[in-house]
Amino acid sequence: MTELTSAFAGLADLVGLGACDRIELRPTLLRVLTDLYLQRLAHTSEDERCYCELALRLIDATDRPARAALANRLASYPFAPRAVIARLARDEIEVAAPLLEHSSCLTGAELEAIAKEQGGAHADIIATRRSAMLQPLPVSRPRHPIASELSDIFYAAGAAEAPLDSRQSRICADSAIAALGFHPGG
């Protein structure tokens, strides 16, 4: 088994317990291991290797609720290890869904591969994610009340039979600038 790195130093006793056949300890060990991993944003390659090796073994030996809880926690973590994310994203849909919907660790090519391999609900979630990414986000810009009023006046005048001439436009612009606290020409 992997020698624990300094990032997981307090885990040695739990690893010994998890190595036995008492299955009920494995979900707890997976949760504690993940808690320790998520405490840091940056990891050495050795820390990541150690976490992945232990987590992948535990994932294979835990039940669906424990795997789903892990997937939920890792879905929003931008530095989740790729091997763990890839394994969980191909799991049962109850486990994979949060990762397929939210994980920034899955590339477009990986999502496409998962959709082809898994099909069904996996492919549906990925398609929904893709279509949501293609939708333009609504942009709402707060406008100053005076700017809103001047904009309305300006556009209304442009729609009238006699649009504003350049002198009137300059007066409107100077008034707007002054109303917002600036001095025209200065």
Side-chain angles (χ1 to χ4, degrees), residues 100-123:
L100 299 176
E101 292 170 348
H102 305 293
S103 179
S104 62
C105 298
L106 292 167
T107 65
E110 288 171 318
L111 288 168
E112 185 175 322
I114 292 168
K116 285 180 183 176
E117 292 166 16
Q118 302 296 317
H122 287 71

mmCIF file of all heavy atoms in Angstrom, residues 100-123:
data_model
loop_
_atom_site.group_PDB
_atom_site.id
_atom_site.type_symbol
_atom_site.label_atom_id
_atom_site.label_comp_id
_atom_site.label_asym_id
_atom_site.label_seq_id
_atom_site.Cartn_x
_atom_site.Cartn_y
_atom_site.Cartn_z
ATOM 1 N N LEU A 100 -21.282 15.481 -13.689
ATOM 2 C CA LEU A 100 -21.631 15.755 -15.086
ATOM 3 C C LEU A 100 -22.257 17.135 -15.236
ATOM 4 O O LEU A 100 -22.073 17.798 -16.251
ATOM 5 C CB LEU A 100 -22.581 14.680 -15.614
ATOM 6 C CG LEU A 100 -22.034 13.251 -15.626
ATOM 7 C CD1 LEU A 100 -23.112 12.277 -16.067
ATOM 8 C CD2 LEU A 100 -20.789 13.141 -16.481
ATOM 9 N N GLU A 101 -22.981 17.571 -14.237
ATOM 10 C CA GLU A 101 -23.634 18.877 -14.285
ATOM 11 C C GLU A 101 -22.695 20.027 -13.953
ATOM 12 O O GLU A 101 -22.799 21.095 -14.547
ATOM 13 C CB GLU A 101 -24.811 18.908 -13.298
ATOM 14 C CG GLU A 101 -25.948 18.014 -13.685
ATOM 15 C CD GLU A 101 -26.991 17.865 -12.585
ATOM 16 O OE1 GLU A 101 -26.734 18.264 -11.428
ATOM 17 O OE2 GLU A 101 -28.073 17.336 -12.878
ATOM 18 N N HIS A 102 -21.767 19.843 -12.996
ATOM 19 C CA HIS A 102 -21.059 20.993 -12.435
ATOM 20 C C HIS A 102 -19.539 20.945 -12.453
ATOM 21 O O HIS A 102 -18.913 21.990 -12.285
ATOM 22 C CB HIS A 102 -21.491 21.206 -10.985
ATOM 23 C CG HIS A 102 -22.963 21.344 -10.814
ATOM 24 N ND1 HIS A 102 -23.676 22.420 -11.294
ATOM 25 C CD2 HIS A 102 -23.867 20.516 -10.230
ATOM 26 C CE1 HIS A 102 -24.958 22.256 -11.005
ATOM 27 N NE2 HIS A 102 -25.106 21.118 -10.370
ATOM 28 N N SER A 103 -18.927 19.797 -12.589
ATOM 29 C CA SER A 103 -17.470 19.737 -12.431
ATOM 30 C C SER A 103 -16.733 20.451 -13.558
ATOM 31 O O SER A 103 -16.934 20.157 -14.737
ATOM 32 C CB SER A 103 -16.983 18.288 -12.363
ATOM 33 O OG SER A 103 -15.576 18.262 -12.234
ATOM 34 N N SER A 104 -15.872 21.376 -13.166
ATOM 35 C CA SER A 104 -15.033 22.069 -14.145
ATOM 36 C C SER A 104 -13.814 21.228 -14.508
ATOM 37 O O SER A 104 -13.040 21.595 -15.387
ATOM 38 C CB SER A 104 -14.591 23.426 -13.596
ATOM 39 O OG SER A 104 -13.814 23.251 -12.427
ATOM 40 N N CYS A 105 -13.644 20.101 -13.839
ATOM 41 C CA CYS A 105 -12.496 19.229 -14.101
ATOM 42 C C CYS A 105 -12.699 18.344 -15.328
ATOM 43 O O CYS A 105 -11.743 17.800 -15.850
ATOM 44 C CB CYS A 105 -12.224 18.351 -12.883
ATOM 45 S SG CYS A 105 -11.786 19.285 -11.409
ATOM 46 N N LEU A 106 -13.936 18.207 -15.769
ATOM 47 C CA LEU A 106 -14.213 17.383 -16.937
ATOM 48 C C LEU A 106 -14.147 18.237 -18.196
ATOM 49 O O LEU A 106 -14.856 19.232 -18.318
ATOM 50 C CB LEU A 106 -15.604 16.748 -16.815
ATOM 51 C CG LEU A 106 -15.752 15.695 -15.729
ATOM 52 C CD1 LEU A 106 -17.220 15.365 -15.496
ATOM 53 C CD2 LEU A 106 -14.969 14.446 -16.076
ATOM 54 N N THR A 107 -13.302 17.832 -19.127
ATOM 55 C CA THR A 107 -13.167 18.572 -20.379
ATOM 56 C C THR A 107 -14.313 18.200 -21.326
ATOM 57 O O THR A 107 -15.018 17.211 -21.107
ATOM 58 C CB THR A 107 -11.838 18.240 -21.076
ATOM 59 O OG1 THR A 107 -11.853 16.856 -21.466
ATOM 60 C CG2 THR A 107 -10.643 18.511 -20.163
ATOM 61 N N GLY A 108 -14.469 18.984 -22.367
ATOM 62 C CA GLY A 108 -15.481 18.691 -23.375
ATOM 63 C C GLY A 108 -15.283 17.322 -23.992
ATOM 64 O O GLY A 108 -16.246 16.581 -24.221
ATOM 65 N N ALA A 109 -14.030 16.959 -24.256
ATOM 66 C CA ALA A 109 -13.736 15.648 -24.844
ATOM 67 C C ALA A 109 -14.089 14.530 -23.875
ATOM 68 O O ALA A 109 -14.625 13.487 -24.288
ATOM 69 C CB ALA A 109 -12.264 15.572 -25.227
ATOM 70 N N GLU A 110 -13.816 14.734 -22.590
ATOM 71 C CA GLU A 110 -14.167 13.718 -21.594
ATOM 72 C C GLU A 110 -15.685 13.563 -21.482
ATOM 73 O O GLU A 110 -16.191 12.442 -21.398
ATOM 74 C CB GLU A 110 -13.581 14.076 -20.225
ATOM 75 C CG GLU A 110 -12.079 13.893 -20.166
ATOM 76 C CD GLU A 110 -11.467 14.442 -18.884
ATOM 77 O OE1 GLU A 110 -11.884 15.542 -18.447
ATOM 78 O OE2 GLU A 110 -10.591 13.761 -18.331
ATOM 79 N N LEU A 111 -16.387 14.685 -21.483
ATOM 80 C CA LEU A 111 -17.844 14.621 -21.417
ATOM 81 C C LEU A 111 -18.413 13.893 -22.636
ATOM 82 O O LEU A 111 -19.329 13.086 -22.517
ATOM 83 C CB LEU A 111 -18.430 16.031 -21.296
ATOM 84 C CG LEU A 111 -18.224 16.716 -19.949
ATOM 85 C CD1 LEU A 111 -18.581 18.196 -20.049
ATOM 86 C CD2 LEU A 111 -19.031 16.035 -18.854
ATOM 87 N N GLU A 112 -17.857 14.176 -23.787
ATOM 88 C CA GLU A 112 -18.310 13.508 -25.011
ATOM 89 C C GLU A 112 -18.062 12.003 -24.927
ATOM 90 O O GLU A 112 -18.929 11.196 -25.284
ATOM 91 C CB GLU A 112 -17.591 14.098 -26.223
ATOM 92 C CG GLU A 112 -18.087 13.562 -27.539
ATOM 93 C CD GLU A 112 -17.424 14.255 -28.716
ATOM 94 O OE1 GLU A 112 -17.191 15.472 -28.645
ATOM 95 O OE2 GLU A 112 -17.155 13.555 -29.707
ATOM 96 N N ALA A 113 -16.886 11.622 -24.427
ATOM 97 C CA ALA A 113 -16.561 10.196 -24.290
ATOM 98 C C ALA A 113 -17.504 9.510 -23.300
ATOM 99 O O ALA A 113 -17.981 8.394 -23.560
ATOM 100 C CB ALA A 113 -15.104 10.028 -23.850
ATOM 101 N N ILE A 114 -17.798 10.178 -22.194
ATOM 102 C CA ILE A 114 -18.712 9.609 -21.193
ATOM 103 C C ILE A 114 -20.104 9.456 -21.789
ATOM 104 O O ILE A 114 -20.764 8.435 -21.589
ATOM 105 C CB ILE A 114 -18.738 10.482 -19.925
ATOM 106 C CG1 ILE A 114 -17.382 10.415 -19.207
ATOM 107 C CG2 ILE A 114 -19.858 10.062 -18.978
ATOM 108 C CD1 ILE A 114 -17.198 11.457 -18.116
ATOM 109 N N ALA A 115 -20.557 10.450 -22.535
ATOM 110 C CA ALA A 115 -21.879 10.376 -23.161
ATOM 111 C C ALA A 115 -21.968 9.184 -24.114
ATOM 112 O O ALA A 115 -22.970 8.465 -24.131
ATOM 113 C CB ALA A 115 -22.193 11.681 -23.901
ATOM 114 N N LYS A 116 -20.908 8.955 -24.887
ATOM 115 C CA LYS A 116 -20.894 7.831 -25.823
ATOM 116 C C LYS A 116 -20.818 6.495 -25.094
ATOM 117 O O LYS A 116 -21.507 5.547 -25.448
ATOM 118 C CB LYS A 116 -19.717 7.957 -26.792
ATOM 119 C CG LYS A 116 -19.921 9.003 -27.845
ATOM 120 C CD LYS A 116 -18.734 9.086 -28.778
ATOM 121 C CE LYS A 116 -18.928 10.206 -29.789
ATOM 122 N NZ LYS A 116 -17.751 10.376 -30.635
ATOM 123 N N GLU A 117 -19.955 6.424 -24.059
ATOM 124 C CA GLU A 117 -19.776 5.168 -23.324
ATOM 125 C C GLU A 117 -21.006 4.795 -22.506
ATOM 126 O O GLU A 117 -21.436 3.648 -22.513
ATOM 127 C CB GLU A 117 -18.594 5.282 -22.349
ATOM 128 C CG GLU A 117 -17.248 5.405 -22.978
ATOM 129 C CD GLU A 117 -16.191 5.859 -21.967
ATOM 130 O OE1 GLU A 117 -16.441 5.780 -20.744
ATOM 131 O OE2 GLU A 117 -15.123 6.305 -22.407
ATOM 132 N N GLN A 118 -21.548 5.754 -21.789
ATOM 133 C CA GLN A 118 -22.619 5.475 -20.837
ATOM 134 C C GLN A 118 -24.006 5.605 -21.449
ATOM 135 O O GLN A 118 -24.916 4.897 -21.046
ATOM 136 C CB GLN A 118 -22.505 6.404 -19.626
ATOM 137 C CG GLN A 118 -21.179 6.321 -18.891
ATOM 138 C CD GLN A 118 -20.949 4.960 -18.277
ATOM 139 O OE1 GLN A 118 -21.834 4.380 -17.692
ATOM 140 N NE2 GLN A 118 -19.730 4.448 -18.415
ATOM 141 N N GLY A 119 -24.181 6.567 -22.359
ATOM 142 C CA GLY A 119 -25.478 6.787 -22.979
ATOM 143 C C GLY A 119 -26.537 7.165 -21.959
ATOM 144 O O GLY A 119 -26.239 7.628 -20.863
ATOM 145 N N GLY A 120 -27.792 6.993 -22.309
ATOM 146 C CA GLY A 120 -28.920 7.192 -21.406
ATOM 147 C C GLY A 120 -28.901 8.491 -20.630
ATOM 148 O O GLY A 120 -28.740 9.570 -21.200
ATOM 149 N N ALA A 121 -29.090 8.380 -19.328
ATOM 150 C CA ALA A 121 -29.186 9.545 -18.452
ATOM 151 C C ALA A 121 -27.879 10.345 -18.433
ATOM 152 O O ALA A 121 -27.907 11.571 -18.336
ATOM 153 C CB ALA A 121 -29.562 9.122 -17.036
ATOM 154 N N HIS A 122 -26.747 9.651 -18.525
ATOM 155 C CA HIS A 122 -25.462 10.357 -18.577
ATOM 156 C C HIS A 122 -25.432 11.303 -19.783
ATOM 157 O O HIS A 122 -25.086 12.480 -19.660
ATOM 158 C CB HIS A 122 -24.294 9.367 -18.670
ATOM 159 C CG HIS A 122 -24.004 8.616 -17.417
ATOM 160 N ND1 HIS A 122 -24.831 7.634 -16.938
ATOM 161 C CD2 HIS A 122 -22.962 8.702 -16.545
ATOM 162 C CE1 HIS A 122 -24.313 7.134 -15.825
ATOM 163 N NE2 HIS A 122 -23.182 7.779 -15.559
ATOM 164 N N ALA A 123 -25.797 10.783 -20.939
ATOM 165 C CA ALA A 123 -25.792 11.580 -22.175
ATOM 166 C C ALA A 123 -26.800 12.724 -22.090
ATOM 167 O O ALA A 123 -26.520 13.833 -22.569
ATOM 168 C CB ALA A 123 -26.082 10.692 -23.376
#
